[in-house]
Amino acid sequence: MPIYRGDGGSGDASTDAYASQVATHAQTATTKANEAAASATAAAASATAAANEATTFNNSLGAAATTLSAGASATASYNSSTKVFTLGIPTGATGATGSTGSQGATGPQGATGAQGPQGATGATGPQGATGATGATGAAGADGAGVAAGGSTGQALVKTDGTNYNTQWATVLTANQTITLSGAVTGSGTTSITTTLSTVDGGTY
């Protein structure tokens, strides 16, 4: 049976072996190599799956922020279903009011706009209540009164056409004595009973 002389060549008797042993070792090496290749394939698949999962996670990962009231503590939460981090950020305190800036220059006056249409006349409102009676005015100057003088049985008669030009005159009444002088004339139906002494210079 042929033998294998080993790495030392034909003079190296320490590593002599039969060909069948060499074949056995070769088969074992092949098996180990196949196992190693299978393990490498599995490892590559696992790495690919992990890489895909990492990519999916990165694509799904999100962040959101909510505003909290001033003075509240900041918060942070993670939703494994949606893969979203939520941060609660409190509102900052209001800063001090700044000083008033200087007034800017007055801008140019704009063009006058077009006149608007005339509005409709409003309806007349109801008449208001009667106001209170005003104070009595000052008395006016005295008018022309009845002329002074006169006696029993006299009356005021106009002397001419001027207003208020009057005088007292005797009005004829029953059983009066009158004196006639000069020519006596008359008309109408008045009856006078008298004693004539002198008429037109004659004695009767």
Side-chain angles (χ1 to χ4, degrees), residues 86-121:
T86 302
L87 304 177
I89 304 173
T91 301
T94 302
T97 302
S99 58
T100 302
S102 58
Q103 181 175 350
T106 302
Q109 181 174 349
T112 302
Q115 181 176 351
Q118 181 176 351
T121 303

Side-chain angles (χ1 to χ4, degrees), residues 120-175:
T121 303
T124 303
Q127 181 175 351
T130 302
T133 301
T136 302
D142 292 338
V146 176
S151 60
T152 302
Q154 288 188 318
L156 284 174
V157 295
K158 293 277 289 180
T159 59
D160 54 34
T162 303
N163 290 337
Y164 311 117
N165 281 357
T166 59
Q167 67 177 8
W168 291 103
T170 300
V171 178
L172 296 178
T173 59
N175 300 322

